[in-house]
Amino acid sequence: MLLGRPDMNNTPPFDTDSTMTQSMVDDVYRRMFSDSSQSFDLYEGTASSAAGTKIIYLSTDLIVGIHKAIEYEAGEAWQVIFNSCGLRWGRKVATSFERELRVAANRRIDALTVIEYKEMVESYFSHHGWGKLSMRMDGIESHGVLVAELTDSVFRYALPNVDTCVDQLIAGMLRGIFESLAQAELDCLMIEERQAGSAPLCRFLISGPDRIRWGQSLVDEGKAYDEVYKEVLAS
């Protein structure tokens, strides 16, 4: 298991002896995710990756429209709906990683190191326009907690006046991607920080459901990220 309680997290699910150099890794991810690797059918109006995965483009106008429609129908439950959609999307993304990696590098997903998988997910988010994602892996082995930080979020750009954190779909995606990897139930906690003069930063803690529920209770109490993170690690 990649994420969970510390006593269940001693063995990473990847081979640690990788023969790929960093430049090779970067090139593989460009071939997997960049526009140059995609094919477009103007007659059908579709785009596909080299491995045949269908690609959907979401404009900010479409995001605004979807948000308004769901909020009108479901009120604050739009957040739950976005998260659930993200979870299903993330599971499909994890499955597509298998196909894309085979076509781009003739490699199995379980042959990647933890760092290579991290870089693959970060590259996916960047190339597909979700925002700039940066993940910290240092808390996985010792505490079973993965930290992800997202800036330049397309959802925050599209929905600047929404008071609550708008990255629920991203949270669901991260959960889905790493549940597929860990082969275990996980959950994802969002903590958004807004500072004057800078873009909002959304942090995600990904771990077992009990630990994340505890973290959510701390967020609901109004505690800041640093305090929440320390207490989640100690739980």
Side-chain angles (χ1 to χ4, degrees), residues 7-211:
D7 59 351
M8 299 174 68
N9 192 51
N10 294 326
T11 305
F14 303 127
D15 296 335
T16 55
D17 181 19
S18 173
T19 58
M20 297 182 73
T21 65
Q22 186 59 52
S23 62
M24 292 169 64
V25 171
D26 293 341
D27 182 62
V28 167
Y29 297 152
R30 279 193 296 271
R31 280 185 277 143
M32 289 173 66
F33 304 129
S34 68
D35 290 344
S36 61
S37 69
Q38 299 169 13
S39 60
F40 299 87
D41 186 326
L42 299 182
Y43 180 79
E44 294 290 339
T46 59
S48 303
S49 71
T53 302
K54 295 293 184 183
I55 297 171
I56 299 174
Y57 286 90
L58 292 178
S59 68
T60 53
D61 287 342
L62 184 56
I63 291 173
V64 171
I66 292 172
H67 172 261
K68 285 183 177 179
I70 295 178
E71 186 179 39
Y72 177 79
E73 293 292 338
E76 289 302 310
W78 73 265
Q79 300 175 66
V80 177
I81 295 170
F82 269 47
N83 192 285
S84 297
C85 291
L87 177 60
R88 296 187 64 179
W89 199 322
R91 288 169 176 166
K92 290 182 179 295
V93 167
T95 300
S96 73
F97 283 167
E98 294 270 4
R99 297 193 301 270
E100 303 294 336
L101 191 61
R102 283 184 180 275
V103 170
N106 194 28
R107 284 172 66 89
R108 292 169 53 89
I109 205 81
D110 56 7
L112 295 182
T113 67
V114 173
I115 297 302
E116 286 170 346
Y117 194 88
K118 162 190 174 295
E119 292 174 347
M120 181 172 66
V121 175
E122 290 173 344
S123 181
Y124 167 82
F125 271 79
S126 177
H127 277 101
H128 285 275
W130 296 112
K132 181 175 176 55
L133 187 74
S134 176
M135 291 186 292
R136 289 170 43 196
M137 316 295 286
D138 51 292
I140 292 180
E141 185 172 353
S142 58
H143 296 92
V145 178
L146 170 65
V147 178
E149 297 182 348
L150 183 71
T151 56
D152 298 326
S153 165
V154 65
F155 289 98
R156 178 49 68 192
Y157 181 80
L159 306 169
N161 298 319
V162 177
D163 291 334
T164 58
C165 186
V166 295
D167 290 311
Q168 286 83 0
L169 191 138
I170 300 295
M173 286 177 64
L174 290 171
R175 176 186 167 188
I177 289 171
F178 285 98
E179 274 191 345
S180 298
L181 173 65
Q183 295 295 297
E185 183 181 3
L186 302 175
D187 207 344
C188 182
L189 172 65
M190 297 179 300
I191 307 172
E192 185 180 64
E193 293 185 356
R194 303 192 195 188
Q195 297 179 352
S198 61
L201 167 67
C202 192
R203 290 189 174 97
F204 305 86
L205 302 183
I206 305 161
S207 190
D210 291 342
R211 182 178 277 127

